[in-house]
Amino acid sequence: MPVTLRPLRVAAAQAESVAGDLDANVATAVHLVSAAADWGARVVVLPELFLTGYSPQAWLPELTTTPDDPRLEPLASAARERAVVVVAGAAVRRSGPDGSAQRFTLSLLVVDEAGEVTAPYDKQHLFDTERAFFAPGAQGASIVVDGWELGLGVCYDGCFPEHARAAAEDGARAYLCPSAYVAGSEHRRDLYYAARALDNGIYVVFAGLTGRCGGLDFSGGSAVYDPEGRALGRAGIISPAAVVADLDPVEVARVQAENPIARDRLGSLGGRSRVVVAGPRP
């Protein structure tokens, strides 16, 4: 007999990150996770590169991390003690099969309720200066929590409709997208992720970096969008802060049935014709 999917409470959390200070950022993450757990959150999403800091000056080999980094233990302990799953952005160091070659990825670390840390997703669409240090990810990824398939993306990924669409087509009912938007880009921030929710009839959990990190100012705006693209809550620029919301499988099913974009999307738009209906004026 199939298990009935129940609502899932999630938190999109934000705070200031200190460029290059993993210990300080882990301590802040533990605070955010504990507060979200007090509100009943089962999944806590933290911003892009939160554990490393979104600052090119902090993107150095010696400041990267790995899933087995002992400095992550306080965050692993918090996840274990509060029985939550944590998704947090970090600069990750990856070795080749022989242990010699190294590359650096802008990744999501996932800490499960047993305190195990993995790095299942590397950002595929790198933005601007990120390309100078990070290697792009080669594939999409989802995690499953209490039967909920949750697609993973990072910031610029969510600007491309096909990224969230691939997750939804693979069964995701929600798309988690940690991000870092500089102050002044709020109009784009508030459009992209609402659109990804509406495009696919799924929830989108957006956790945005806020405050100053290195030489940049970030706009926060953490939010959870429902399957019709409406913000169930938004955090503004406050630090620390979190938006907590329940993801409802019934709502996903209702919206996808009433607005079946996935079903009605054409596999191909065919060729293109061009008809000149008026020439240039003399």
Side-chain angles (χ1 to χ4, degrees):
M1 188 173 181
V3 177
T4 301
L5 199 62
R6 297 181 178 179
L8 181 72
R9 182 163 292 183
V10 301
Q14 65 184 44
E16 292 190 27
S17 176
V18 182
D21 194 338
L22 183 69
D23 292 327
N25 297 330
V26 166
T28 303
V30 169
H31 170 75
L32 291 168
V33 168
S34 297
D38 286 343
W39 298 323
R42 179 79 169 106
V43 178
V44 184
V45 183
L46 304 177
E48 178 181 20
L49 283 175
F50 184 76
L51 300 180
T52 305
Y54 195 103
S55 171
Q57 289 71 42
W59 302 342
L60 301 170
E62 61 270 24
L63 296 180
T64 57
T65 188
T66 57
D68 59 357
D69 191 327
R71 296 174 295 173
L72 298 174
E73 178 53 33
L75 187 56
S77 294
R80 271 195 307 270
E81 291 168 7
R82 304 308 300 269
V84 298
V85 174
V86 182
V87 178
V92 170
R93 181 173 64 257
R94 297 190 183 274
S95 297
D98 61 355
S100 57
Q102 285 191 339
R103 62 189 180 94
F104 306 100
T105 56
L106 199 166
S107 304
L108 295 182
L109 295 180
V110 175
V111 189
D112 68 19
E113 61 184 341
E116 295 296 320
V117 184
T118 58
Y121 180 68
D122 304 328
K123 185 176 184 179
Q124 294 182 280
H125 298 91
L126 296 176
F127 182 76
D128 195 32
T129 56
E130 296 167 359
R131 300 187 188 97
F133 183 70
F134 297 109
Q139 62 184 24
S142 295
I143 59 174
V144 180
V145 179
D146 299 344
W148 278 82
E149 185 154 335
L150 309 172
L152 301 178
V154 181
C155 200
Y156 200 33
D157 285 328
C159 303
F160 297 84
E162 59 270 23
H163 198 268
R165 181 188 307 163
E169 289 178 344
D170 200 37
R173 289 180 171 89
Y175 180 63
L176 314 183
C177 204
S179 299
Y181 272 74
V182 295
S185 58
E186 293 85 351
H187 60 294
R188 292 187 289 108
R189 178 200 71 192
D190 296 343
L191 174 63
Y192 288 136
Y193 306 94
R196 299 298 79 82
L198 184 60
D199 288 343
N200 299 289
I202 61 175
Y203 288 93
V204 171
V205 182
F206 171 89
L209 193 64
T210 193
R212 190 160 184 84
C213 186
L216 298 171
D217 292 301
F218 294 90
S219 64
S222 295
V224 178
Y225 296 96
D226 75 6
E228 294 196 79
R230 296 173 296 209
L232 299 176
R234 195 188 309 281
I237 61 172
I238 299 170
S239 173
V243 174
V244 179
D246 292 328
L247 311 187
D248 185 354
V250 174
E251 183 66 2
V252 174
R254 181 191 70 78
V255 173
Q256 291 183 349
E258 294 180 3
N259 188 26
I261 293 176
R263 185 200 68 193
D264 295 339
R265 183 180 292 118
L266 299 177
S268 170
L269 298 178
R272 240 186 135 69
S273 64
R274 179 173 286 103
V275 179
V276 178
V277 296
R281 294 191 174 194

